[in-house]
Amino acid sequence: MPDLLPAAVTGDVTGLPEGLTARPLTLDDAPAAAELLEAAEAVDDTGEHEDAADLSEWWDRELVELPRDGRAVVDADGRLVAWATSIAPRGGRDAFRIWTEGRVHPDVRGRGVGRALLAWQLRRGTEQHAEFGPPGLPARLVTSVWPAMTSLESMLRRAGFEVERLFASMERPLSALPAVTPPPGVDLVPFTWDRDDEIRRAHNASFTEHHGSTERDEQAWRNWFTGRQSFRPDLSVLALTDGVVAGYVLTYEYEADTRATGIRTAHFGQIGVLPSARGRGVASATIAAALTAAQEAGYAQAALDVDTENTTGAFALYERVGFRVARTHHAWAYVVPPAAG
């Protein structure tokens, strides 16, 4: 590991400047952490907005042990000035992927706080890999970097991270929508809860060859997708062939984002089509139906995120149905090799 990891220390944050201390992150920190994100957004320009409820939901899951997976940095008055998490969804195909997130308040940047938290994340991620990682798979500790985050980019490079992928956030207004024209033999229907597990299985089959994809069991599916408070089943659309799910668009609304921007946006979080149903226009028809549903519900725009190197041609498809790139960010990754023996 890089030299920013003190060899004798595991589990705790070290190297903080005088006057700052670290402790385990708690759900009670969510309001202050959300305020910190809001203050940082003026500098970082991620286009993302999360409130205390969003953070609490993300941290309060069966697969997260917040006292072990999160750290808060506070000043002498107890004010939260930075936080970091290392969250490890279970499973993996090519690697055991661990999400490293966090933020340092702009007022205390440039003093080594981020470097200390990153060192802790690398240690914690290595522990999670040993504890939960599938045998024989490397771990990839992944973090997102937006163009304005030049200092973070430099710090990651020095720590041994490398650019993994370029992602685009795309948007389109909910006007001049494409016609909803399902291919022959395809029925477009609203999401219903009795099909939730069928959609999970279709998702796993649809993303088998996608970069960074992970098989989702029932618990992980609920944790990260349809069990979230932002999920909008009434705006989600399924494509059925012979009564079986062949494609889907799952839609979300982030209320903190709506408050911050004043624009009610339908986020298409998961879009997939079974390999056997591709090339027939199933995806474009399902997206068109989801756009129409959002428009009829009073939303102003739709948004989605896409891997620009997606091998199924998703980026070009989204452009054809009217989405345009609003901003981009890179995923950076640090590789922890499989344990020997």
Side-chain angles (χ1 to χ4, degrees):
M1 288 190 176
D3 61 5
L4 56 73
L5 300 180
V9 178
T10 59
D12 293 319
V13 179
T14 62
L16 290 171
E18 185 177 355
L20 300 182
T21 57
R23 57 167 173 77
L25 194 65
T26 73
L27 293 178
D28 290 340
D29 292 316
E35 290 179 8
L36 193 158
L37 286 176
E38 183 178 0
E41 178 61 14
V43 177
D44 297 332
D45 190 28
T46 68
E48 296 186 347
H49 305 277
E50 295 179 281
D51 61 15
D54 293 325
L55 293 177
S56 294
E57 182 187 44
W58 188 245
W59 295 343
D60 190 21
R61 298 171 184 263
E62 296 103 321
L63 300 179
V64 179
E65 300 178 71
L66 196 56
R68 299 178 67 197
D69 297 344
R71 286 294 179 270
V73 177
V74 297
D75 64 14
D77 297 323
R79 181 177 72 104
L80 185 75
V81 298
W83 60 268
T85 56
S86 180
I87 295 177
R90 307 302 187 257
R93 291 191 171 105
D94 61 335
F96 180 60
R97 303 178 74 78
I98 299 169
W99 301 330
T100 59
E101 299 178 309
R103 207 61 53 91
V104 178
H105 195 286
D107 290 348
V108 298
R109 292 184 183 180
R111 298 173 57 192
V113 177
R115 185 172 180 268
L117 286 174
L118 179 60
W120 170 81
Q121 286 173 319
L122 291 176
R123 289 193 298 273
R124 179 60 188 144
T126 301
E127 293 170 353
Q128 290 167 311
H129 179 219
E131 189 171 353
F132 305 117
L137 280 186
R140 297 186 74 85
L141 281 59
V142 182
T143 192
S144 297
V145 181
W146 279 261
M149 297 177 168
T150 54
S151 295
L152 174 59
E153 180 177 318
S154 298
M155 183 174 66
L156 292 173
R157 184 177 289 109
R158 290 194 302 270
F161 282 72
E162 294 182 351
V163 172
E164 182 180 57
R165 219 71 169 182
L166 175 66
F167 288 86
S169 298
M170 306 183 76
E171 300 172 351
R172 66 148 296 157
L174 291 178
S175 58
L177 299 183
V180 181
T181 309
V186 175
D187 295 315
L188 300 175
V189 301
F191 173 97
T192 53
W193 284 107
D194 62 303
R195 290 190 180 271
D196 188 37
D197 194 60
E198 183 184 0
I199 301 163
R200 176 187 69 83
R201 289 182 275 111
H203 178 80
N204 285 338
S206 299
F207 282 80
T208 300
E209 298 181 358
H210 282 233
H211 171 80
S213 66
T214 298
E215 191 88 3
R216 305 292 182 184
D217 63 18
E218 294 180 20
Q219 183 186 44
W221 180 255
R222 289 194 311 272
N223 267 264
W224 312 122
F225 299 134
T226 58
R228 296 169 60 185
Q229 63 183 1
S230 56
F231 179 53
R232 297 293 180 265
D234 54 314
L235 303 179
S236 300
V237 178
L238 310 179
L240 308 183
T241 59
D242 297 323
V244 176
V245 172
Y248 53 89
V249 174
L250 302 185
T251 304
Y252 302 77
E253 180 184 8
Y254 303 109
E255 295 180 0
D257 185 69
T258 300
R259 289 195 299 271
T261 64
I263 301 172
R264 199 175 181 197
T265 301
H267 291 262
F268 296 166
Q270 289 78 46
I271 301 173
V273 175
L274 291 176
S276 60
R278 291 174 187 164
R280 299 172 50 197
V282 173
S284 56
T286 311
I287 293 169
L291 290 170
T292 298
Q295 180 194 57
E296 292 176 350
Y299 289 74
Q301 69 177 11
L304 53 82
D305 292 316
V306 61
D307 177 352
T308 60
E309 299 176 50
N310 184 302
T311 56
T312 64
F315 185 80
L317 165 65
Y318 300 150
E319 288 190 317
R320 287 198 299 273
V321 295
F323 284 88
R324 297 293 179 264
V325 175
R327 63 184 71 230
T328 62
H329 74 270
H330 283 96
W332 285 66
Y334 180 92
V335 178
V336 180

